[in-house]
Amino acid sequence: MKKALDYFVLDVFTDKSYKGNPLAVIFTKEELKLSDYENIAREFGYSETSFVEYSQQKQLLHVRSFTPIGFEVDGAGHNLLGAICAALLKDATFFTNLNSVQQVMMKAVSIPIYINFKEENNLAVVKMLQKPALIGDSIPAEKIALALGLSVKDLNILNFDPVIVKTEVAHVMVPIQNIEILNTIKPDNKLLIALSKQYNFEGFYCFALTGEENGTIVQSRFFNPLIGIDEDAATGTAAGPLAGLLWYKKIIQKDSNYQILQGVKLNQPSLIEIAVTDDGILVGGSSVITMEGKIYIEN
């Protein structure tokens, strides 16, 4: 006997289909076997696949996310934003009193979220509150440049050192001189993985300032082969740390809204909304549905 599970595929951090970062969201009524999570994530093959379970007892939405190689993801990124949007599509009663803060569980961590809707298209805008940014160790520019197929002069190290920053997940923020150089990066995954293990972080968030003081202030690319992501079109768990670093460097202001443009090189442009607050860092955006159906697993 096989069990049927409902699923949606959404494009996340966009309001246009076939742009943004695709995410499969599977609805479960109970916890699955670990092998089921891993097999389904591998079958879809997206950078991440999320599983949503609603606990009637706890009145909470519980989300778990896996990469195609079976790595379970922490943190509030596109995996959580898309899962919340899918839950709203499936049943608007998942969340009540949308004017107040909501709570969603990722593993055993409760993450505050805020939901509103755009007037022009009624798309949900979900903002996730990440923890305040913790700025950690710098990494030698020579090692970073070599792993990314660049030279040291391609990095904007006069204003920034490549530095590890964490809100939910620790990633290294890599400043690039300009957008043209950003789009020439050809990483060596073996070197990236070796650096991640040596310095105890996950991904590489490469960014170039756009020159704008408001609106879209940076363009970025993200690489995380350590957990099976060669390049990601939108990465909320890296956008939060970058927002914290930009505020620390006095490039952005607290309680002001900005955007990060990611995924251009993949032809999947994604707009990630960021804001630094006293309580933490808000990361958000919209999602659009592209597919829905059923997936079957053994009982």
Side-chain angles (χ1 to χ4, degrees):
M1 293 289 293
K2 292 184 181 292
K3 178 165 55 179
L5 304 176
D6 292 334
Y7 77 85
F8 289 163
V9 173
L10 301 97
D11 290 321
V12 184
F13 287 119
T14 183
D15 58 3
K16 296 180 175 62
S17 293
Y18 311 112
K19 302 298 181 184
N21 201 359
L23 175 78
V25 180
I26 291 69
F27 293 90
T28 70
K29 295 181 179 178
E30 58 191 3
E31 192 166 311
L32 305 180
K33 295 182 294 186
L34 180 60
S35 59
D36 288 331
Y37 294 119
E38 294 171 342
N39 289 337
I40 292 171
R42 185 174 62 250
E43 187 76 13
F44 277 104
Y46 298 126
S47 61
E48 294 169 23
T49 294
S50 291
F51 299 82
V52 172
E53 178 190 351
Y54 181 70
S55 170
Q56 291 283 358
Q57 181 182 5
K58 298 179 181 178
Q59 294 290 294
L60 275 178
L61 207 66
H62 185 218
V63 180
R64 298 182 70 177
S65 301
F66 292 80
T67 71
I69 64 171
F71 182 89
E72 185 166 7
V73 177
D74 288 314
H78 92 282
N79 57 316
L80 181 59
L81 191 155
I84 294 165
C85 289
L88 287 166
L89 285 168
K90 184 173 174 60
D91 184 352
T93 64
F94 268 136
F95 300 100
T96 58
N97 192 16
L98 296 182
N99 294 322
S100 64
V101 64
Q102 308 286 317
Q103 298 290 332
V104 175
M105 296 296 295
M106 281 286 296
K107 290 188 175 179
V109 177
S110 179
I111 298 176
I113 62 167
Y114 303 84
I115 302 170
N116 55 55
F117 292 85
K118 294 182 180 180
E119 290 184 5
E120 63 270 23
N121 53 22
N122 204 39
L123 281 179
V125 179
V126 177
K127 294 187 177 182
M128 307 164 288
L129 185 64
Q130 298 183 1
K131 298 170 186 173
L134 297 176
I135 297 176
D137 296 333
S138 297
I139 298 178
E142 296 82 4
K143 292 184 177 181
I144 293 283
L146 179 63
L148 294 173
L150 300 176
S151 64
V152 173
K153 65 180 177 60
D154 293 326
L155 305 187
N156 186 13
I157 55 176
L158 289 179
N159 296 316
F160 299 88
D161 291 320
V163 63
I164 300 170
V165 186
K166 178 179 180 179
T167 55
E168 309 296 318
V169 181
H171 300 299
V172 65
M173 306 292 109
V174 183
I176 306 296
Q177 286 284 6
N178 54 54
I179 293 169
E180 289 74 20
I181 294 173
L182 178 73
N183 287 323
T184 67
I185 292 174
K186 294 182 179 179
D188 182 321
N189 282 354
K190 289 184 179 179
L191 292 179
L192 294 185
I193 291 171
L195 282 175
S196 294
K197 291 180 177 179
Q198 180 181 356
Y199 291 93
N200 194 29
F201 67 91
E202 278 194 16
F204 296 72
Y205 207 39
C206 305
F207 68 95
L209 299 172
T210 64
E212 297 182 25
E213 293 184 2
N214 299 296
T216 305
I217 53 169
V218 298
Q219 192 172 141
S220 64
R221 296 177 69 186
F222 180 76
F223 310 96
N224 194 354
L226 181 70
I227 65 169
I229 300 173
D230 289 339
E231 182 168 1
D232 205 17
T235 315
T237 61
L242 179 57
L245 178 63
L246 294 176
W247 175 77
Y248 177 77
K249 293 288 186 178
K250 296 181 169 56
I251 292 173
I252 64 175
Q253 298 179 350
K254 189 174 285 187
D255 297 318
S256 296
N257 296 315
Y258 302 91
Q259 293 176 329
I260 296 171
L261 176 61
Q262 189 180 334
V264 173
K265 185 71 174 180
L266 297 174
N267 195 30
Q268 294 172 258
S270 308
L271 278 177
I272 305 170
E273 300 178 16
I274 55 170
V276 178
T277 74
D278 288 335
D279 297 325
I281 299 173
L282 287 169
V283 176
S286 296
S287 303
V288 292
I289 185 171
T290 57
M291 288 180 260
E292 65 177 299
K294 294 187 181 297
I295 191 163
Y296 296 93
I297 60 173
E298 299 290 341
N299 261 328

